């Protein structure tokens, strides 16, 4: 049961009276002052409730910070990931801009974007059907496919912009698409390199056919069975056999012995077709203004 305030005051007075009687005369005054102060403090202590105050050191509870976005789950935040959708972070060529002639627009700005397997995506350009395209800058190989294309092309400057331009243009009147056209020994590696970048090119089949024909000619030239004007040693530089050339003006040829004397010769101002049979016993064969000699069929 809680004591009332009058009761507490009475108890304090009784203690004060007893203390005064027990103490000597010299201590009465000092003791009285002390006891009065004590009683006052006791009264205030009893009357004043003690309330708890919150601790100043307590801090508000905070929610954990969410991790930064990482779409491909490669532990590299999208904000600093060069390839945020590729967990392998395979190097890719950035988008490449071209100025193209689409027939309706001479300077249509079209874009080739990164595609699959390190090959560029030409779908946006092909949809516009440009007959020619010019890259706005040099293009250095980045992907493994682009590096392989550079090696195949035999370019020595490291720039594959020409291959991109070949893939971008879809001109149905392009020389490479002509019936019977055979790519030269220089064109063959270039076309093969372009096909590495754009194997689904709209005219890829015709490209492969012209490469095939060109490869046959390249093999014949390596064997000494296709040659141009000049003087050649028979059996070493060219093979004996029957050869023809077509559509000539001012064509002259001669077969020579080892002393340089003429065995046989021929001249024509103009002809649709000229034929010659070079024998194994001939030492050399020489021609001027006759164009390309090919094996007769």
């Amino acid at each position: 049961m809680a004591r009332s305030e009058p009761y507490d005051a009475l108890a304090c007075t009784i203690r004060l009276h007893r203390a005064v009687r027990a103490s000597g005369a010299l201590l009465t005054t000092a003791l009285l002052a002390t006891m009065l102060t004590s009683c006052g403090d006791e009264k205030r202590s009893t009357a004043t409730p003690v309330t708890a105050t919150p601790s100043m050191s307590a801090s508000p509870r905070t929610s954990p910070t969410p991790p930064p976005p990482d779409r491909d789950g490669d532990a590299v935040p999208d904000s600093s990931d060069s390839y945020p959708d590729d967990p392998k972070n395979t190097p890719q060529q950035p988008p490449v801009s071209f100025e193209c002639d689409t027939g309706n627009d001479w300077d249509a700005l079209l874009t080739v974007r990164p595609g699959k397997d390190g090959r560029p995506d030409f779908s946006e350009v092909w949809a516009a059907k440009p007959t020619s395209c010019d890259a706005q800058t040099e293009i250095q190989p980045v992907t493994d496919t682009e590096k392989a294309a550079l090696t195949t092309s035999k370019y020595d400057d490291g720039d594959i912009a020409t291959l991109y331009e070949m893939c971008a243009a879809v001109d149905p009147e392009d020389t490479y698409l002509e019936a019977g056209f055979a790519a030269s020994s220089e064109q063959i590696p270039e076309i093969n390199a372009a096909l590495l970048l754009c194997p689904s090119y709209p005219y890829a089949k015709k490209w492969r056919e012209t490469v095939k024909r060109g490869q046959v000619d390249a093999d014949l030239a390596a064997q000494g069975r296709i040659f141009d004007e000049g003087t050649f040693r028979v059996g070493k530089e060219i093979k004996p056999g029957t050869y023809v050339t077509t559509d000539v003006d001012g064509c002259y040829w001669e077969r020579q012995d080892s002393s340089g004397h003429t065995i046989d010769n021929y001249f024509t101002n103009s002809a649709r077709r000229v034929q010659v049979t070079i024998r194994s016993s001939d030492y050399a064969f020489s021609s001027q203004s006759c164009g390309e000699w090919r094996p007769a069929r």
Side-chain angles (χ1 to χ4, degrees):
M1 179 182 293
R3 295 178 180 180
S4 64
E5 184 175 332
Y7 179 84
D8 291 340
L10 178 60
C12 185
T13 303
I14 293 173
R15 290 198 304 273
L16 177 61
H17 177 72
R18 289 175 180 175
V20 169
R21 287 194 310 171
S23 64
L26 296 178
L27 298 176
T28 299
T29 302
L31 180 60
L32 181 60
T34 300
M35 292 299 289
L36 286 173
T37 302
S38 175
C39 286
D41 292 342
E42 183 177 290
K43 181 178 179 180
R44 287 192 298 271
S45 175
T46 303
T48 305
V50 178
T51 58
T53 58
S55 173
M56 297 300 293
S57 61
S59 58
R61 182 176 298 177
T62 58
S63 300
T65 303
D70 179 17
R71 294 198 299 270
D72 55 13
D74 61 355
V76 180
D78 292 344
S79 59
S80 57
D81 192 346
S82 299
Y83 311 103
D85 296 311
D86 180 10
K88 296 182 180 180
N89 293 318
T90 305
Q92 293 187 10
Q93 185 74 243
V96 180
S97 297
F98 291 84
E99 283 188 355
C100 299
D101 177 9
T102 63
N104 297 322
D105 188 349
W106 289 89
D107 297 315
L109 190 61
L110 303 175
T111 302
V112 175
R113 305 184 187 281
K116 297 180 179 180
D117 303 324
R119 293 184 174 91
D121 181 4
F122 289 90
S123 58
E124 177 184 332
V125 180
W126 291 341
K129 298 181 179 180
T131 55
S132 65
C133 288
D134 293 324
Q136 300 300 288
T137 183
E138 290 187 358
I139 304 175
Q140 300 296 321
V142 175
T143 68
D144 290 340
T145 300
E146 290 174 334
K147 293 176 182 178
L150 175 62
T151 300
T152 301
S153 70
K154 299 183 180 180
Y155 293 166
D156 56 8
D157 59 358
D159 181 11
I160 57 174
T162 298
L163 301 181
Y164 265 78
E165 291 169 350
M166 290 174 61
C167 286
V170 285
D171 184 4
E173 297 182 359
D174 182 67
T175 302
Y176 290 170
L177 308 181
E178 293 178 359
F181 179 81
S184 67
S185 57
E186 292 79 16
Q187 293 167 336
I188 289 173
E190 187 174 63
I191 296 174
N192 284 334
L195 286 170
L196 286 177
L197 294 181
C198 55
S200 58
Y201 179 68
Y203 299 114
K205 182 178 179 180
K206 291 187 176 181
W207 270 9
R208 292 187 175 95
E209 290 173 354
T210 195
V211 165
K212 184 177 180 180
R213 288 190 293 268
Q215 191 61 58
V216 171
D217 287 356
D219 293 341
L220 289 174
Q223 298 167 13
R225 300 183 63 198
I226 290 182
F227 50 92
D228 292 316
E229 64 181 38
T231 301
F232 302 93
R233 286 283 305 276
V234 177
K236 290 188 176 182
E237 296 176 302
I238 62 175
K239 299 293 185 182
T242 301
Y243 296 90
V244 297
T245 185
T246 57
D247 299 323
V248 297
D249 293 314
C251 172
Y252 172 80
W253 62 258
E254 67 177 27
R255 295 161 47 214
Q256 301 173 353
D257 62 18
S258 58
S259 300
H261 298 150
T262 300
I263 299 174
D264 192 10
N265 62 355
Y266 175 84
F267 174 78
T268 180
N269 286 320
S270 178
R272 293 288 303 274
R273 172 186 170 96
V274 175
Q275 178 173 310
V276 62
T277 297
I278 301 173
R279 304 184 182 281
S280 58
S281 57
D282 295 342
Y283 181 81
F285 176 79
S286 179
S287 67
Q288 298 176 3
S289 302
C290 294
E292 181 182 71
W293 294 94
R294 305 176 62 89
R297 295 180 179 179

